[in-house]
Amino acid sequence: MTPLLQVQGVSKYYGARIGCEDVGFELYPGEVMGIVGESGSGKSTLLGCLAGQLAPDAGEVLFDTRGEGLRDTLKMSEPERRMLGRTDWAFVHQNARDGLRMGVSAGGNVGERLMAVGARHYGQIRGQAIDWLGRVEISEDRVDDRPGMFSGGMQQRLQIARNLVTGPRLVFMDEPTGGLDVSVQARLLDLLRGLVREMGLSAIIVTHDLAVVRLLADRLMVMKDGHVVEAGLTDQVLDDPQHGYTQLLVSSVLQV
Amino acid sequence: MTNEAENVTAYNFAYLDEQTKRMIRRAILKGLAIPGYQVPFASREMPMPYGWGTGGVQVSAATLTPEDCFKVIDQGADDTTNAVSIRKFFEKTAGVATTEETAKATVIQTRHRIPEERLTEDQVLVYQVPIPEPLRFLEPRETETRKMHSLEEYGLMHVKLYEDVAQHGAIATAYAYPVKVEGRYVMDPSPIPKFDNPKLEMDAIQLFGAGREQRIYALPPHSKVVSLDFEDHPFEASKADHACDLCGAEDSYLDEVITDDAGGRMFVCSDTDYCRSRRAAGHVGAQGAPYEEGVA
């Protein structure tokens, strides 16, 4: 089986400072990879490099495109990369406001990606939007409300619906549960886990919350100061941490 | 080139200096070569405020020749402040002949209307454009909208139409209705009513000038112009369901005029020259009096 995403030696520097250095891994279809680490450890920089939002200074990001097999997304032309960004890729931001159009109704937000890939039938677009709102547990009568009228958790769910409506194969998530209270977090995680399994999505989830990766991720990478210090199966890493920093991270979680 | 006809003003012909007109003509030619593409140009300070048609005036100034006959309309009317002052401006600075008759004019500057009478290949229609970027209210970043144009990413334009249908049950955009030109660029046709959109495919050259936004774009004659819509909510050129009360025309775009504070109203042609010529030809509407020369 070919990997969906193959990352080799990705490095990004901010002047003399290291953003992330020499990161490499492979992600297979249907697999969820967690990236954990403390603030400033380079998680979001790495995610930005993978998703084409930042230009890494070195390395390769090979994606298994539908048409042409493995291709280096960093060497793609911008139209190709943007096309990927609205078809096969999805990006869930930490702040739903960054990923939503706040001046456009929920239905319009979900429909945007459909219209961006050529849907021109209002009834079908609206039908799919309502279907997706249902899947993320937003009731149909809120379809014409603007995201500003939604709670934080609903906004985050709306953002997920908007991203998944075109059936992407790879989802990048940057702290998808950040800023939500724990009960809302739990429901969101439940929802995400269901969607990931149901659609056979591959995902890369950046978070500092170990509970999130425990629930969602098959594999885990631990980052510190821009380097990957430990990687492996999630349960393995969390239950038997080898690196000093991972041990610190695991033992720092409060047990209630 | 000085104004030879009168030679009394210190103005260059049509106010702008020759280098500026060259610069604007280059932008116009580029605009004509790439229909619907917004060409940046170094818009000059004009002796009138932004929003009064500084873009259209600059395009007209670069287009006019001493032999031209010039007409200005504002919402279809020849006799409103904007139209009168721009007409006088060019009478004074270019000394060109002016007219109110659509057929006689060779250059027509317009704000928010296309004349009812069919324009010919010998005419140029100059639009005043407030905001040339059709994507502006959906995407405020200019860097991003330019990228969207260059990559032909126009899905967002349909999001606006989607919102219309979701809120109003139909595409409620009634003016500045977005169009796709020659299957490539999405263009704002300036705030003309969507009734005028089908007329954008015409024999005359159409030039669009946005002074404050420093953009010029153009439609060569016979360009293919398609109004955006949904398959199940097709584009419809709408107007008030009425006939003109002065000339009885049923095919022209109408203004609704409130005549008293007791609910009295009348519908009249927004194109004053069209209405006048019809009345001169003997047509009389429901509230119209028979036409007399020189009486409004």
Side-chain angles (χ1 to χ4, degrees), chain A residues 78-79 82-83 86 101 103-109 111-112 115-126 129 143-144 146, chain B residues 138-141 144 147-148 151-167 180 228-233:
Chain A
E78 192 170 8
R82 284 172 71 112
M83 190 65 191
R86 49 176 200 269
R101 286 191 192 276
V104 171
S105 71
N109 264 294
E112 181 180 342
M115 293 183 250
V117 294
R120 292 291 179 264
H121 190 284
Y122 173 82
Q124 286 166 8
I125 293 166
R126 192 172 172 83
V143 65
D144 291 329
R146 293 186 176 189
Chain B
L138 300 147
E139 176 52 66
R141 288 167 295 179
E144 189 64 19
K147 197 167 277 176
M148 290 159 84
L151 301 181
E152 248 183 300
E153 289 181 5
Y154 290 130
L156 199 52
M157 207 68 249
H158 273 83
V159 173
K160 180 182 188 299
L161 301 180
Y162 171 93
E163 288 292 285
D164 262 8
V165 184
Q167 284 171 26
K180 193 164 208 178
L228 300 180
D229 59 4
F230 286 112
E231 288 159 15
D232 47 346
H233 288 270

Side-chain angles (χ1 to χ4, degrees), chain A residues 124-162:
Chain A
Q124 286 166 8
I125 293 166
R126 192 172 172 83
Q128 267 185 284
I130 288 170
D131 174 45
W132 265 97
L133 289 181
R135 288 206 218 181
V136 297
E137 299 168 18
I138 295 174
S139 69
E140 186 180 335
D141 57 7
R142 303 300 299 271
V143 65
D144 291 329
D145 288 348
R146 293 186 176 189
M149 299 165 75
F150 288 3
S151 68
M154 282 172 81
Q155 287 182 4
Q156 196 58 280
R157 294 203 299 272
L158 178 61
Q159 193 196 175
I160 289 166
R162 166 188 162 90

